[in-house]
Amino acid sequence: MKICLHIKSFLLFCISLLLTNVVSKIVPTECSNFARKIYKPSKVVQLNFFPHPLHNKINSEKNVSEKLWKSSNLTKRNNCNLGKKQTYSNLDKGINNGRNLHTKGNVLCNKKMKLIIQLLNKAKLYDFKFFSPAKINLFLRLKEKKETYNEISTLMHSINLGDDLFITVLSREDQKRLKHVLYPCTSGDFLTIRKNKDYDREHNDKKSCQTYEKKDIHYYNNYPLNEDNIIIKVLKRYREELGINDDIRFLVHINKRIPIFSGVGGGSSNGASVFYFLEKYFYKYLKSNELKHEFLKKIGSDISFFTSSGFAYCTEKGNYVIDLGNAQATISEKRIYLFQVNEGLSSKSVYENVNYDKIVQYNPVTLLTNFITNSDSNKIAKIVEEKEKNFLNRFVHVDKMDMQNIFLNDLEHSAFLLVRKLKDLKYFLISQNIFNVVTMSGSGSSLFAITKNDMNLNSEKWYVKDLIKHVREKLNVKIKVYLCDFLRKREHFWYKPTKIAEVIT
C-alpha cells in the first residue's frame, strides 16, 4: 500500500513539473514582458456583431471564457517599496500644489515624458512599439451612391511614411497617477502625442508643453486626443463586443509624421496598429481572419486594408479587402513624392460634393491588370471580376490607357472645387516633366507623384527642392513634400520599414 502511495506521489510530481515546463514555454517573449499569470473563467462572452450564427464563434465555440492577462511589470509597479511610494507622494504633491513645471495635458515634450516615466516607475515610456504606415490610392473608382455610403473600388498600397505608436499597459494604480498630469478618454485610456515644434512655431505658441490647452484640450494640430480618435473606438468596441471587464487600460503615445486630412489613411492605420497589438500580444480573442475582418468592418473604411500585405484591392465601402500579397506590383521599385498642401480636407465634405454625372465608369478590373506583372494576374482579375459582377454592365471597357489616366481618382473633381490650390498644384507638377504620374490620394489634400527615374536620386531631390520654391512663389501655396518608397508587410508580422520616408525641405 505504501509503495502504491509513493508511486502515485512521484507521478503527480512529474506531471506538475511537465505542466510547469509547458506553461513557461507558451509565454510570449517577442516585443513583450507579459506573462499569463491568471486564467480566470468569467461570464460567458457572446459576440453580437456577427449576423450569422456560424460567425458567432471563437475557437469553434459559441462562447468563450474571458482570459485575463496580467503583466509582470504591473505587479512590480503595484508592489513598490516604501521609498518608491514616498517618491510618488512627493511627485503628487508637486503637481497638486502647482510647483510642477508642466500643466495638465496630453501633448508631451521630453521633460513631461520623463515625468510620466517616473510616475509609472518604468525605465522607458512604452511596453510595445509599432510603425503605423500611410497608404496611397493608386486608383479610386466611385461606382454608385448608396443611401448611407458610396460604393467604391480602389487599389491601395502602403508606403514608408508613417507614425510611431508606443503602447503602455496600465494598472488601476497607474491610471490614478496619470490622471494628475494627463486627461483620460471616456474609455479610461490615455492618448498622448509628441510636441511638434514646427506646428507650435507656426501657431505662435509659447515654449511650455501645454499651451494648446487654452484652445482645446482634446485636439492638437487637428489630431483628436479623445474618443473621436479611431484608436479609442477600437479599444472601446473590442471591450464591449468581447465582454472584457478587467481594470487594465492603455497609454498610447503617438509620434505623428503622417499629415492630418491628407487622404493617406493615417487615422485608420493608427487604429489597425492598436488592433494588431490587442490580437497579437494581449487578449488574442479573435482567432480567425474572418472574425478579425468582420470586427474591423464595423470600425471604418480604410482600417481593414492595413491588415493585408500592404497591397490590396478594396471594394464596397473600401472595407472588403482582396489581398494581393502574392502579386508583384509594376510600381514597386518606383520613388514616390507626396505633396501635401497646408489645408485639410474632410472625407465627408469631399464625398458630399461628388457629381456622379461627371464620372466615366472605367472598368476597375482593367485598371487593376495594369498594376500587376506576374503570372497570377489573370487569376487575380477573375477573382476581382466575380466580386464586381453586379457592376460589369455599367463599366466602360478601355483597351489601352496612358499611365496618367490609369492612376485616376474620381474624387478629384469634388476636392478641386473645395480646394482650388490642389488643382493648380497638380497641373503645375505635371508641367515639370519629371513625373510619370501626378494624382490625388484618397479624399484628402495631398497629391502623390511617381518619378520617371531618369535622374539620379541626388539630382532629383535637388530639382524637387527647387520646385517647392517655385510653388510657393508662383502659386502662393505652402507645401510639405515627402520622399517615399512602397512598403509591404510579411504574413504574421507588422510593418517594419528599412527606412522612414524623408522630408524634403
Side-chain angles (χ1 to χ4, degrees), residues 21-148:
N21 188 42
V22 169
V23 169
S24 67
K25 286 183 179 179
I26 65 170
V27 174
T29 57
E30 182 185 359
C31 303
S32 166
N33 291 323
F34 290 93
R36 295 182 182 183
K37 291 288 185 182
I38 299 174
Y39 286 88
K40 187 186 294 181
S42 65
K43 64 180 182 180
V44 167
V45 178
Q46 185 72 26
L47 292 178
N48 54 30
F49 56 90
F50 301 121
H52 195 282
L54 289 176
H55 294 173
N56 201 13
K57 298 181 180 181
I58 298 178
N59 291 333
S60 302
E61 298 292 336
K62 289 186 179 179
N63 49 61
V64 294
S65 294
E66 182 181 4
K67 294 181 290 184
L68 298 181
W69 284 56
K70 285 196 175 181
S71 165
S72 57
N73 285 353
L74 296 183
T75 306
K76 289 177 184 177
R77 289 182 218 157
N78 292 332
N79 294 322
C80 295
N81 58 34
L82 187 61
K84 288 290 183 184
K85 288 182 179 178
Q86 184 63 39
T87 303
Y88 285 149
S89 177
N90 292 337
L91 280 169
D92 292 345
K93 285 180 182 178
I95 293 165
N96 293 332
N97 294 334
R99 292 196 294 267
N100 197 280
L101 295 174
H102 309 288
T103 57
K104 188 174 181 178
N106 294 33
V107 178
L108 305 188
C109 59
N110 290 336
K111 289 182 180 179
K112 192 160 186 179
M113 285 183 188
K114 290 178 182 177
L115 174 65
I116 291 173
I117 290 170
Q118 282 182 289
L119 286 172
L120 296 178
N121 187 31
K122 291 170 61 67
K124 57 184 179 180
L125 183 64
Y126 61 91
D127 298 316
F128 296 85
K129 179 183 176 182
F130 299 97
F131 180 77
S132 180
K135 57 81 184 170
I136 57 174
N137 298 75
L138 300 175
F139 66 77
L140 193 156
R141 289 279 0 276
L142 296 176
K143 297 179 296 189
E144 185 180 16
K145 186 174 180 61
K146 303 282 189 180
E147 187 175 343
T148 57

Side-chain angles (χ1 to χ4, degrees), residues 457-480:
L457 181 57
N458 289 331
S459 299
E460 188 178 272
K461 285 162 68 173
W462 178 87
Y463 195 98
V464 171
K465 287 179 182 180
D466 194 52
L467 193 149
I468 294 170
K469 294 178 184 177
H470 287 304
V471 168
R472 288 173 180 166
E473 292 169 2
K474 294 183 178 180
L475 302 181
N476 194 26
V477 176
K478 288 184 179 180
I479 58 173
K480 197 165 187 178

